[in-house]
Amino acid sequence: MSENTAGGVRETVDAIYRAESRRVFATLIRLLGDFDVAEEALHEAFRAALEQWPREGIPANPRAWLVSAGRFKAIDGIRRSARFDPLDEDAEDIAGADDSTSWASDEIEDDRLRLIFTCCHPALQPDAQVALTLREVCGLTTEEIAHAFLTAAPTLAQRIVRAKGKIRDAKISYRVPAQAELPERLESVLRVIYLVFNEGYAASAGATLTRHDLSGEAIRLARLLVDLLPEPEALGLLALMLLHESRRAARASATGDLILLEDQDRALWNREMIAEGTALVERALSSRRIGPYTLQAAISAVHAGAANAAATDWAQIVALYGLLAQAEPSPVVELNRAVAVAMRDGPESGLELIDAILARGELADYRLAHAARADLCRRLGRTAEARAAYERALALTRGEPERRFLERRLAELGSRKIST
């Protein structure tokens, strides 16, 4: 079938939509200055392609054609509306713009970076940053995002609407931050990407341990960011996610039950991801601008490089956690270091550190702190304390695979099954 027949063109347009629509959309936002106007223009452009390309042929540069067509359709619509209602200042600027502009591929790629920084602007609430990024940069539907984060679709839709309104009303600039602003603004972008990944890698609730669609989107976003802005911490975050994701196939049994790192079949680990992640870690470390994501990735690389659990270099991991605690102090980092200390020096040493953290109260409702304490008590034969800590962790857990794991641990201690 010729690619210029109606069927051939539709197949081509569908393929271009999958590959290029978010690039076209990002440029239309810059040109039109409004998310909703740009979304409508995007659909109008692809509709025009289905009508015109069978007659005129597929253009040499489909992406630029679509940008031009979408912009023209939007301007035409704004000018027609002006016959009935007065235009606001922004609409007047769009309607009066020069129609003869052309766009180069590198400029369109820059637009994708502008869009990421706009969606992750610190003026927006963190949950709105995540929702807007997934919707506008990744192209997920409102229903898909709501399902992923266990939020009602109308609630999620309102969150996105409010975020767009905030960008419009506050006149947030659609641009890549200046060099002086970049560290702070990049941190916000990286945090959003990592939040998306974490929800996919270890789902906070629900029947499954992981959500591959979300972790995959986060990795895709990080790759895009590294391609457009190869800062060391962007490299470090991509490395960290790849090294974590490399273990996906080994993290759960065929029945969906959780398998701890020490018990995983390392033959199932994805060696290509490990090689890529390790190379990215080395590249980020060589920059001498070492941040928290790079340090976490370095820790994951140590795990990935061990042939088996017994061969893990726990002394190096403890040292890296020490550096991480200096770079980004937090009780969770302290907890992870305590677990590493337990593996290096024995459970008594780790338990002493965890008890000190819990005594401060900061992790009183953090399930993994109680699970870690339970495990160390179990290894020390302190059964009553282990049972109490497992029960506390179980009460705080919403994910079904984790619940089943904790219930199995309680059963092994001779406890009756706890119903919560």
Side-chain angles (χ1 to χ4, degrees):
M1 177 184 289
S2 169
E3 68 172 7
N4 286 340
T5 64
V9 166
R10 177 169 286 280
E11 290 179 7
T12 300
V13 170
D14 286 346
I16 291 172
Y17 185 88
R18 289 191 296 272
E20 304 285 0
S21 62
R22 303 329 289 177
R23 290 183 175 91
V24 173
F25 176 67
T27 298
L28 287 171
I29 290 178
R30 172 170 60 84
L31 297 172
L32 301 172
D34 184 277
F35 280 87
D36 295 330
V37 173
E39 188 77 40
E40 180 63 25
L42 175 72
H43 294 305
E44 288 289 339
F46 276 94
R47 189 176 296 117
L50 287 172
E51 293 172 358
Q52 294 177 229
W53 290 3
R55 297 193 308 267
E56 302 170 5
I58 297 170
N61 188 337
R63 188 193 304 171
W65 189 99
L66 289 161
V67 169
S68 183
R71 180 172 177 271
F72 174 80
K73 294 281 188 183
I75 290 172
D76 187 52
I78 290 169
R79 288 172 176 167
R80 279 189 279 106
S81 296
R83 299 172 190 169
F84 306 100
D85 299 299
L87 299 178
D88 61 25
E89 184 179 336
D90 292 338
E92 284 183 357
D93 289 343
I94 297 169
D98 179 10
D99 292 346
S100 62
T101 310
S102 62
W103 303 277
S105 293
D106 58 349
E107 186 177 22
I108 293 177
E109 289 298 339
D110 288 344
D111 286 330
R112 302 184 78 192
L113 191 55
R114 291 185 185 99
L115 180 56
I116 291 173
F117 276 100
T118 301
C119 291
C120 298
H121 195 280
L124 304 177
Q125 292 296 317
D127 56 357
Q129 292 177 11
V130 172
L132 199 61
T133 300
L134 288 173
R135 177 71 190 89
E136 308 301 350
V137 180
C138 300
L140 272 64
T141 66
T142 301
E143 290 73 19
E144 286 171 332
I145 303 167
H147 176 72
F149 288 92
L150 302 177
T151 304
T155 301
L156 197 285
Q158 282 302 310
R159 191 174 295 165
I160 292 172
V161 167
R162 284 195 297 270
K164 290 178 180 177
K166 176 75 171 181
I167 290 170
R168 180 185 63 249
D169 297 341
K171 296 190 181 300
I172 290 173
S173 298
Y174 180 73
R175 64 180 178 85
V176 176
Q179 193 65 37
E181 304 171 89
L182 193 57
E184 178 185 357
R185 293 289 305 281
L186 180 61
E187 181 181 344
S188 179
V189 172
L190 296 176
R191 180 181 52 77
V192 167
I193 294 174
Y194 197 37
L195 282 172
V196 174
F197 178 80
N198 276 339
E199 186 60 31
Y201 182 74
S204 59
T208 59
L209 181 65
T210 63
R211 286 289 312 276
H212 179 61
D213 52 346
L214 284 179
S215 56
E217 285 295 341
I219 289 172
R220 187 164 72 87
L221 271 173
R223 287 192 188 282
L224 172 62
L225 189 62
V226 165
D227 286 344
L228 300 175
L229 191 69
E231 287 288 305
E233 273 293 80
L235 298 170
L237 176 58
L238 177 57
L240 174 61
M241 295 191 298
L242 288 170
L243 289 164
H244 279 330
E245 188 73 2
S246 72
R247 301 197 293 264
R248 172 181 292 279
R251 292 183 61 230
S253 69
T255 56
D257 288 324
L258 172 66
I259 301 176
L260 296 179
L261 176 63
E262 63 197 59
D263 299 321
Q264 289 173 14
D265 179 357
R266 300 188 179 212
L268 298 176
W269 289 3
N270 186 315
R271 293 296 156 184
E272 290 183 6
M273 282 189 177
I274 290 173
E276 183 183 2
T278 302
L280 285 166
V281 171
E282 293 170 355
R283 186 176 158 195
L285 290 171
S286 69
S287 73
R288 304 289 183 179
R289 290 187 287 146
I290 301 170
Y293 292 115
T294 299
L295 288 169
Q296 290 177 74
I299 291 167
S300 292
V302 175
H303 283 297
N308 51 59
T312 303
D313 187 345
W314 287 107
Q316 186 177 1
I317 290 175
V318 169
L320 287 168
Y321 270 123
L323 293 174
L324 182 59
Q326 294 175 31
E328 191 175 68
S330 83
V332 172
V333 172
E334 289 184 58
L335 173 67
N336 290 333
R337 182 182 178 278
V339 171
V341 167
M343 298 303 294
R344 183 192 67 182
D345 300 336
E348 189 74 56
S349 298
L351 183 60
E352 183 178 339
L353 293 172
I354 290 176
D355 282 344
I357 296 167
L358 286 170
R360 300 202 307 261
E362 296 163 292
L363 297 183
D365 295 327
Y366 187 54
R367 71 192 192 284
L368 297 182
H370 296 285
R373 185 179 195 281
D375 183 63
L376 296 183
C377 288
R378 179 184 63 84
R379 288 163 57 188
L380 288 166
R382 292 158 62 167
T383 304
E385 290 180 69
R387 182 180 296 117
Y390 277 130
E391 289 174 352
R392 178 61 178 152
L394 185 58
L396 295 167
T397 297
R398 293 191 299 159
E400 285 306 314
E402 282 190 33
R403 289 181 61 82
R404 292 197 300 271
F405 173 82
L406 294 170
E407 287 172 345
R408 284 199 306 274
R409 284 292 201 223
L410 278 167
E412 290 166 5
L413 292 174
S415 169
R416 61 183 178 82
K417 184 175 179 180
I418 306 298
S419 57
T420 58

